[in-house]
Amino acid sequence: MPALSERKIQIVKALVAAAPDKVVGGLQAALAEAQGDSALASVRRLVEAEAGERRLRNIILQPIAPMCVGDGRDPHSLVFPSFALGYLWKGLKALDPQGIKAASLALYDYRPGESSPAPFDALVKRAADAVRAGEPREFATVTMLCEQARPGGGAAFQLCLDLAPIVRRAAYRLPEWTAHFGDDTTAAARLVYRDACSVADDAGPTFFEMIAAQLPHPWMVLRIISAVMDKPSERYLRDSELGGFAERVMDDIDAALKSIQTLDVDGGEETARAAAKLVELVTLQVAEIEACIALEREHSWGHRLLKQKNALASVVEGRIREAEKYANLALPMQPARLRRIRRMIPRHTLPPDPRAVRRALTLFHFAREIRSSANYGGFASARSKMLEKVGDMLDHYVEETLDLIKTGDCENEPVAREHLAVVVEFSRLVRDEKAADLVRRRAAACRAEPPPMAAGA
């Protein structure tokens, strides 16, 4: 395949430049083996150049880059349009090409916390001054995009650029601050917060918005706020300018509870796993609030959080009960035909109900995935009892079905084996792969016993 013409290269270059970072990274990985002068090799070189430039951009603008997502209209957090970052970078390259070159050279051996970020901070300061002045025109476009996304967005973007050097200094220490808080780390966090507040009187909330954007989970910013404010009481935090951060987490918990309540039991494994992740998230967020804020159990946030914990336990226990119900529907039982046999035996007149099987499997996947959050969530006992009860039911079902097959009393052996296949799937989730394999092997080995030969035959 011949190399691309210059016109086509420019078209591809424009498309790659407009693509999100994840797409560019995926293209780079996909084209890694393209060699020579082929068209794909030309595209690979374009993608690699774009990926390299974005790495440089994201290092220089690290304090603000994670905040430039989507259309910048998120009502729950401070974000800016993704296009604003592109225009900011374009304007910065035109404004200070020598500074960009110096930053590129500094990037080769840059180690956060060890190397000086001066070349990067100098560029961010130039960008902040240019946005404030509105020249060149790319910086005026940045302000316009931010104002269109939210009222006061332009001023908020400027403040973020002013705070960028302070946030950069704090960012590399965030893993330490969030994992091992002590007197030293608490003092360091307070010093950084004090520096941020010296930039502007109202810089505190914006500083924590920027810190939240640097964390793997934005709600973890409560740990930093708690350290700076020395684990504040809920009344003190609620009345401060930082109270919105805790309320935002509780709003997220409410939204997650609604999603868990509306779990689609026909959705299968992926739907169950997504709901279980929400359960885990809620337990983590509840624990975070309890650890970071001195709550009043009977009032306001403390009361609201208690209701959320009870709601989570109630919803999850309801799903656990449904799992048992659908398992019984998928493996129906009936009274034995002989009066002297009082126990229930499997009914094999009809194939397994696919709807009941699908729903039971979805809920068993859900119960399996919530094991790590069951203790703190308050539903460990209900989960354990359900698994034990369903496990005993499966054992009884297998023994009775195999006995019916061996004695020739089975109403429909092919249907019985279909039910045993369902038991295998249930056993894998209720117990483990070993238990499922045992049922599978026993079913394969089971055969009807030949009738006894008549005397004298």
Side-chain angles (χ1 to χ4, degrees):
M1 185 185 296
L4 294 176
S5 65
E6 186 61 32
R7 186 179 68 85
K8 290 182 178 179
I9 286 177
Q10 293 303 317
I11 293 174
V12 173
K13 188 174 182 179
L15 291 172
V16 172
D21 288 357
K22 286 186 178 179
V23 173
V24 173
L27 284 172
Q28 186 179 18
L31 297 170
E33 297 183 2
Q35 304 292 333
D37 295 327
S38 64
L40 284 180
S42 301
V43 175
R44 177 181 62 80
R45 288 189 286 271
L46 283 176
V47 171
E48 286 181 347
E50 179 67 24
E53 182 169 311
R54 291 195 185 197
R55 280 194 296 272
L56 177 62
R57 180 199 71 185
N58 291 340
I59 288 292
I60 293 173
L61 302 176
Q62 174 207 353
I64 201 169
M67 304 177 74
C68 297
V69 291
D71 60 3
R73 298 178 187 272
D74 187 345
H76 304 298
S77 58
L78 180 60
V79 293
F80 306 105
S82 57
F83 285 123
L85 185 66
Y87 278 104
L88 184 71
W89 179 242
K90 184 178 179 181
L92 195 55
K93 288 194 297 181
L95 180 67
D96 193 354
Q98 293 302 317
I100 296 291
K101 185 177 180 181
S104 179
L105 293 173
L107 184 61
Y108 280 112
D109 59 353
Y110 177 68
R111 292 180 179 82
E114 298 179 14
S115 308
S116 170
F120 311 139
D121 289 342
L123 284 169
V124 173
K125 186 179 185 309
R126 291 213 64 180
D129 293 339
V131 168
R132 196 171 287 108
E135 294 179 355
R137 62 181 181 181
E138 287 86 359
F139 296 102
T141 303
V142 170
T143 301
M144 180 192 71
L145 289 171
C146 294
E147 286 292 340
Q148 289 175 349
R150 66 174 67 232
F157 194 85
Q158 291 176 20
L159 179 56
C160 287
L161 289 173
D162 291 335
L163 290 170
I166 298 170
V167 172
R168 191 194 308 277
R169 194 168 73 245
Y172 84 93
R173 299 196 64 182
L174 288 179
E176 176 190 358
W177 288 356
T178 53
H180 307 290
F181 247 110
D183 292 340
D184 292 341
T185 52
T186 299
R190 289 173 179 169
L191 284 173
V192 172
Y193 177 66
R194 187 187 65 184
D195 291 344
C197 291
S198 68
V199 173
D201 292 338
D202 59 347
T206 302
F207 168 75
F208 283 115
E209 291 280 4
M210 297 178 74
I211 290 295
Q214 301 291 324
L215 293 167
H217 304 291
W219 46 266
M220 291 173 68
V221 75
L222 286 179
R223 301 182 191 184
I224 315 298
I225 294 174
S226 179
V228 169
M229 301 180 74
D230 194 19
K231 194 176 182 179
S233 68
E234 69 169 74
R235 181 177 299 178
Y236 180 69
L237 181 58
R238 186 178 65 244
D239 293 340
S240 75
E241 59 185 356
L242 303 178
F245 288 92
E247 291 180 342
R248 187 187 306 170
V249 178
M250 287 185 276
D251 289 342
D252 289 343
I253 292 174
D254 285 334
L257 288 172
K258 288 180 181 178
S259 296
I260 297 167
Q261 286 174 336
T262 57
L263 166 65
D264 179 11
V265 290
D266 292 308
E269 181 178 354
E270 291 303 317
T271 300
R273 185 175 287 115
K277 285 183 178 179
L278 283 179
V279 172
E280 182 181 19
L281 176 63
V282 169
T283 58
L284 290 173
Q285 289 175 324
V286 168
E288 191 79 4
I289 293 174
E290 290 181 331
C292 296
I293 305 170
L295 298 170
E296 299 176 19
R297 189 178 179 86
E298 303 300 326
H299 302 91
S300 195
W301 288 353
H303 183 63
R304 180 181 179 185
L305 199 67
L306 180 62
K307 289 176 63 177
Q308 289 174 330
K309 289 175 69 175
N310 292 337
L312 176 65
S314 176
V315 169
V316 172
E317 288 175 1
R319 292 305 187 184
I320 287 172
R321 288 191 294 270
E322 285 183 353
E324 184 180 344
K325 179 186 80 172
Y326 285 117
N328 289 325
L329 290 174
L331 301 171
M333 307 286 280
Q334 64 184 1
R337 285 175 290 183
L338 298 176
R339 283 189 179 181
R340 61 184 177 82
I341 302 177
R342 297 184 179 277
R343 66 182 182 275
M344 301 291 283
I345 63 172
R347 188 176 76 224
H348 298 135
T349 53
L350 294 172
D353 180 357
R355 181 168 173 265
V357 172
R358 182 172 60 251
R359 292 186 170 188
L361 285 172
T362 298
L363 292 169
F364 284 146
H365 276 294
F366 176 72
R368 185 183 181 89
E369 294 294 330
I370 61 173
R371 60 188 179 277
S372 63
S373 51
N375 281 330
Y376 189 82
F379 41 84
S381 177
R383 177 180 178 274
S384 298
K385 288 178 180 178
M386 182 275 290
L387 294 177
E388 182 179 355
K389 192 172 180 180
V390 171
D392 290 343
M393 182 271 286
L394 295 177
D395 289 342
H396 175 71
Y397 194 93
V398 170
E399 295 300 332
E400 292 293 337
T401 299
L402 294 180
D403 185 62
L404 290 171
I405 292 174
K406 285 179 184 178
T407 59
D409 294 330
C410 187
E411 296 163 304
N412 188 325
E413 184 175 334
V415 170
R417 292 190 179 278
E418 287 183 43
H419 281 89
L420 286 174
V422 171
V423 173
V424 170
E425 290 301 311
F426 286 0
S427 297
R428 183 173 63 85
L429 297 172
V430 171
R431 287 181 172 156
D432 53 31
E433 194 65 48
K434 197 181 215 179
D437 188 54
L438 179 61
V439 175
R440 189 184 297 110
R441 287 189 284 109
R442 291 187 67 193
C446 183
R447 294 288 182 271
E449 295 176 353
M453 295 182 66

